[in-house]
Amino acid sequence: MSTTLTTDVLQDDLAVSLARVLAAANKRAREAGVDVARSVITISQSFEPGLRWRVNYGPKDYVGRRGGDLIVEVEASDASVTQVLRGQ
C-alpha cells in the first residue's frame, strides 16, 4: 500500500530534514557493510555544536551479543556525515 505525500507533509521541515539525514546515514552504513534492512535503527538528537542526529544501527538478533553497532552522526543543516563509530 503506497501513499502519496501531501503538500503539508512535505512542508514539515523537521520531517524532511530527518528523511535526508536518514538517507545519508543509510548510505554510509551500507558502505560500511551494514545490512540496513536487517538492523534495529535508533535516532537521537545532539545539540553540540549545533543540531546533529546520531543514527545507530544494531543487529535485530541482539540477544547474547555484545557490540558491533555502527553509529553515524549527521549534520542536520546539510545532511553531511560528521562521524562514524563502530562498536567493539
Side-chain angles (χ1 to χ4, degrees):
M1 176 175 148
S2 65
T3 303
T4 303
L5 296 177
T6 59
T7 303
D8 59 324
V9 171
L10 294 174
Q11 290 177 349
D12 183 336
D13 292 336
L14 180 60
V16 172
S17 174
L18 193 51
R20 291 178 58 223
V21 163
L22 186 58
N26 284 349
K27 180 180 179 192
R28 182 58 68 96
R30 285 186 196 99
E31 290 170 355
V34 172
D35 184 351
V36 173
R38 296 189 44 81
S39 296
V40 172
I41 301 171
T42 58
I43 303 171
S44 59
Q45 290 177 304
S46 172
F47 292 98
E48 295 177 19
L51 180 57
R52 292 185 178 183
W53 293 92
R54 284 190 142 198
V55 183
N56 185 82
Y57 298 86
K60 281 187 179 178
D61 55 342
Y62 59 87
V63 176
R65 292 183 63 173
R66 291 188 59 196
D69 288 13
L70 181 76
I71 299 169
V72 181
E73 191 169 280
V74 182
E75 178 69 37
S77 63
D78 61 1
S80 62
V81 174
T82 58
Q83 187 171 0
V84 178
L85 304 166
R86 186 172 290 276
Q88 296 293 326

